[in-house]
Each structure stands twice: as C-alpha cells, then as structure tokens.
Amino acid sequence: MDCKTKIKELREMTGMNRKDFCNFFNIPYRTVTEWELDNRHAPEYVLRLLEYYIRNEGLIKSPTEQKHAGERSSSHEKTN
C-alpha cells in the first residue's frame, strides 16, 4: 500500500480530521497534507509505528463513529 493511501486509512480509522490527527500525534499539518496528496512520502517505519500505536491504544473508531466524527455540531454557530 502506498503512503498516501495508508496515512489516510490510518487517520480515518481514528475518526479524526487531519487537524486533530496532527495535533494528537504532534506531526506538522503540512507534513500530513503532503503525505495525503502524495507529494511526499512518510518513511515506512513511521507508518508502522502509527498503525501499531492506533491499534494498541484503542484509537480505532467503529464505522458509525468515524462517519459522525467529520460532522460539526451546531453549538459553534451564531444564534440571532
């Protein structure tokens, strides 16, 4: 599996958006963006470590949780 596909798969497994994923793992946003756009490639060991950590720390969300993770709540919107 190529880097682009793998990093996106790992991020989606957690149910996190790109910003939250970067903050959680302390990876620069631009770096993950470049990986997902296939402009740069993460070292294989980084992908393996991310997968290991996600699986062993119980960060995998169910498909239902993943689907709702990208939705925004209306609490941040202005009310008139």
Side-chain angles (χ1 to χ4, degrees):
M1 182 178 297
D2 65 345
C3 175
K4 172 184 176 177
T5 306
K6 187 65 175 181
I7 196 71
K8 191 169 183 179
E9 175 188 284
L10 291 171
R11 182 174 60 78
E12 290 175 348
M13 283 172 47
T14 66
M16 295 181 201
N17 61 33
R18 194 178 296 157
K19 181 179 177 184
D20 292 339
F21 186 85
C22 292
N23 288 335
F24 186 87
F25 289 104
N26 200 27
I27 302 171
Y29 183 85
R30 177 86 185 243
T31 299
V32 173
T33 301
E34 292 293 311
W35 290 344
E36 288 190 5
L37 292 174
D38 207 26
N39 293 333
R40 292 177 54 202
H41 301 99
E44 184 63 32
Y45 73 90
V46 170
L47 298 174
R48 285 195 315 267
L49 286 170
L50 284 170
E51 183 171 14
Y52 178 83
Y53 189 85
I54 289 166
R55 290 187 186 282
N56 288 302
E57 293 298 320
L59 297 175
I60 298 174
K61 302 291 183 196
S62 70
T64 305
E65 291 173 311
Q66 290 176 18
K67 182 178 177 183
H68 295 296
E71 297 177 3
R72 295 182 178 194
S73 68
S74 59
S75 62
H76 72 279
E77 296 176 2
K78 289 183 183 179
T79 54
N80 292 331

